[in-house]
Amino acid sequence: MGLKLMQEASNVVSDSLDILAEVTQKFGNLLVAEHARIKATLVPLLDDARAPIRKRAMHCLAAMSVYMNDGLLDEVVSHLLQRLKEGQKVIKPDVLRSYVAAVGHVSRSVGYRFGKYLGEATALVVSYCEAAKEKEGDDELREHCLQAMEGFVLCCPTDARSHMGALIDAGLKFIKFDPNFAGENMDEDGAEEEGGEEDEEQEEEEEEAYSDDEDVSWKVRRAAAKLISAVASQYPDAVAEVYKRTSGELINRFREREENVKGDVFAAYIVLARQVGNVSRRFRPEDPNNPVQLLHADVPAVVRSCAKQLKEKNPKTRMAVFGLLRELIGVAPVPVAQELPLLVPGITAALSLCRVAPVPVAQELPLLVPGTTATLGVGIRLHYVRVKLCGVAPVPVAQELPLLVPGITAALSASCETVSELGCNMHLSNCVILPLPAPVITAALSHARVKLGGEAPIPVA
């Protein structure tokens, strides 16, 4: 009977906190007179023995912190940091994780107002992330610490600038944190050791055979990738330093075994490449610190890794690869074009899905063919972008085009509307189009006649 009453009381408290969070989030500015009472009620609940109660109290406190005056906010943040200073000797591990998460949530909510506490908060969070041991629950602590660091960078980039080195170090350390799997086979340069197709197949079988539902280390790696992405996005003036320190490890982690993490790793490198392109005009071409030159040197390794990832069965992986290639082409079109033969098999495999699975292709083609300026052939988009952006002569495509023709033709005749439209776009103004084989031209014109209900315009070179 007593246990039932306790359960009912817990449900009442949980529901009450949910309601309070909604009210404070939407009408917090109208509850100024009640802020002190609400704060006094919520803060003790962060030490509650029940995890759901702590979580709801944390979200409610973060929602209300947006509307707190500086005095109340100082009391809340000081209490959170003081509890973190007391350490694991005083606070239970699960409660400690809640306090770290609460610091991260409050910092994201109040933004720049958290800046004056950032030095102390960063030191505490980094120390807990480094000191976490390989035992049950500490992976969750690492994840919360890395998420809090990401919040510091995104919400207080100016104040977090002085801690950029420590934040990058933490991201690089934990992006490869995988204590339950030792399948990496990389040399010092990050390239795969020569082992033949048999070793590669054996490695893939081992990865597929490995399964541990209790392994949550992938959440740590995902949080680390997001932290690196946040640093790259917030400090464009330091992109050369950030690229030097992070690019090698990000390229190595393209081989990540968890799909949830792999997408964030690709996303982090995309942000890094985009920032390189944004600041490229600030450097002279011969400047050794020019991040574009650094990226050019990494293109062969990136393309080799992308070529391998295009063979993956998961469509999300291929989508991420095409997104990365599109960004890379905009920054380093010539080096990418020189590595094009490595990508043709993967592009051909993706295009071949038109016949059996049009929906995944419809998701992938927008990444390979941006809608801003389109061309007739999906497969030759790499050459076309190079011509369009650089004004240089395209590399010979006589060997590659025949391999791409079946896929392009299948895309033109696909039943999926998105696929067919992306396979044939007749807007050719201000474009330099490469000579196309007759089957592609015929299929394109036929498709255009059907769509336009009449005679299709003849493309002019």
Side-chain angles (χ1 to χ4, degrees):
M1 182 67 178
L3 183 62
K4 183 177 180 180
L5 290 176
M6 290 178 60
Q7 180 65 33
E8 291 178 354
S10 178
N11 292 337
V12 171
V13 174
S14 296
D15 293 341
S16 299
L17 289 173
D18 286 336
I19 295 172
L20 184 59
E22 288 291 328
V23 172
T24 54
Q25 186 175 10
K26 296 180 179 179
F27 308 106
N29 59 326
L30 303 178
L31 302 173
V32 177
E34 302 294 331
H35 283 180
R37 288 180 56 195
I38 297 174
K39 171 250 176 185
T41 302
L42 294 176
V43 169
L45 293 178
L46 295 175
D47 292 285
D48 195 277
R50 296 161 293 184
I53 300 298
R54 295 197 305 271
K55 184 176 181 180
R56 286 171 169 79
M58 173 185 66
H59 286 293
C60 190
L61 194 63
M64 193 185 69
S65 63
V66 179
Y67 304 100
M68 288 181 179
N69 59 42
D70 291 341
L72 279 179
L73 180 62
D74 184 72
E75 292 179 10
V76 171
V77 177
S78 298
H79 173 77
L80 296 178
L81 297 181
Q82 181 59 38
R83 291 292 282 165
L84 290 181
K85 291 178 183 178
E86 294 173 1
Q88 294 180 336
K89 295 181 179 179
V90 178
I91 308 177
K92 295 180 179 180
D94 55 341
V95 176
L96 178 62
R97 292 193 291 271
S98 296
Y99 269 98
V100 172
V103 170
H105 278 75
V106 171
S107 68
R108 289 175 184 264
S109 296
V110 301
Y112 72 93
R113 297 175 65 194
F114 194 84
K116 62 181 180 179
Y117 312 102
L118 197 63
E120 186 178 2
T122 301
L124 287 169
V125 171
V126 170
S127 65
Y128 276 117
C129 192
E130 296 286 346
K133 300 178 181 179
E134 294 183 6
K135 62 181 181 180
E136 184 179 357
D138 276 7
D139 284 347
E140 186 178 354
L141 175 60
R142 291 189 185 93
E143 181 191 9
H144 289 325
C145 289
L146 292 167
Q147 288 175 341
M149 295 180 210
E150 180 194 2
F152 297 161
V153 174
L154 293 176
C155 300
C156 308
T158 302
D159 297 287
R161 177 60 183 266
S162 59
H163 307 281
M164 185 179 70
L167 297 173
I168 292 177
D169 289 339
L172 293 176
K173 178 178 180 179
F174 291 104
I175 198 173
K176 54 187 177 183
F177 177 75
D178 199 357
N180 299 320
F181 184 76
E184 299 292 341
N185 186 27
M186 307 291 289
D187 59 19
E188 293 181 356
D189 295 328
E192 297 178 21
E193 296 181 356
E194 296 180 1
E197 295 182 359
E198 294 182 0
D199 293 343
E200 193 172 297
E201 292 177 359
Q202 182 178 359
E203 186 176 301
E204 291 179 358
E205 290 177 359
E206 290 176 357
E207 290 185 7
E208 292 178 359
Y210 175 80
S211 177
D212 187 356
D213 294 336
E214 297 181 356
D215 177 24
V216 294
S217 63
W218 64 270
K219 294 183 179 180
V220 177
R221 300 194 298 277
R222 182 179 64 178
K226 291 183 176 181
L227 171 59
I228 294 175
S229 178
V231 172
S233 67
Q234 295 299 314
Y235 303 114
D237 58 318
V239 66
E241 177 187 354
V242 175
Y243 190 89
K244 286 180 181 178
R245 297 192 59 186
T246 62
S247 61
E249 195 58 52
L250 287 175
I251 295 171
N252 288 346
R253 294 312 304 175
F254 287 171
R255 301 175 68 246
E256 168 66 46
R257 62 186 176 87
E258 283 286 343
E259 297 296 335
N260 292 328
V261 183
K262 188 182 293 186
D264 288 303
V265 172
F266 278 111
Y269 194 85
I270 288 173
V271 171
L272 198 58
R274 184 178 298 126
Q275 290 291 66
V276 169
N278 291 340
V279 304
S280 59
R281 295 183 179 180
R282 302 179 185 178
F283 297 84
R284 295 181 179 179
E286 64 276 7
D287 189 342
N289 294 321
N290 188 344
V292 176
Q293 301 302 325
L294 301 175
L295 186 143
H296 282 194
D298 287 337
V299 165
V302 173
V303 173
R304 284 197 301 270
S305 183
C306 287
K308 181 179 178 181
Q309 295 301 323
L310 283 174
K311 301 176 184 178
E312 292 288 330
K313 299 177 181 178
N314 194 315
K316 291 184 179 180
T317 299
R318 296 194 297 271
M319 290 167 61
V321 171
F322 284 134
L324 188 151
L325 289 174
R326 185 180 68 183
E327 197 67 43
L328 204 60
I329 290 167
V331 182
V334 175
V336 174
Q338 293 172 348
E339 304 292 333
L340 181 63
L342 294 176
L343 298 171
V344 170
I347 297 174
T348 304
L351 289 171
S352 66
L353 295 176
C354 290
R355 304 170 185 175
V356 293
V359 175
V361 176
Q363 297 172 347
E364 292 172 1
L365 290 183
L367 297 175
L368 187 60
V369 188
T372 53
T373 41
T375 183
L376 288 174
V378 177
I380 64 168
R381 181 59 183 175
L382 300 178
H383 292 289
Y384 165 69
V385 173
R386 181 181 174 208
V387 174
K388 181 68 176 177
L389 296 182
C390 290
V392 297
V395 296
V397 295
Q399 297 179 353
E400 288 85 3
L401 271 181
L403 301 175
L404 299 171
V405 168
I408 298 172
T409 306
L412 292 170
S413 58
S415 57
C416 178
E417 185 73 16
T418 305
V419 175
S420 61
E421 290 295 336
L422 288 169
C424 174
N425 191 314
M426 305 305 290
H427 299 290
L428 304 177
S429 58
N430 300 322
C431 298
V432 180
I433 300 298
L434 300 175
L436 296 178
V440 178
I441 296 294
T442 302
L445 293 177
S446 175
H447 172 84
R449 288 190 180 94
V450 173
K451 297 301 177 184
L452 298 176
E455 292 297 323
I458 303 299
V460 179

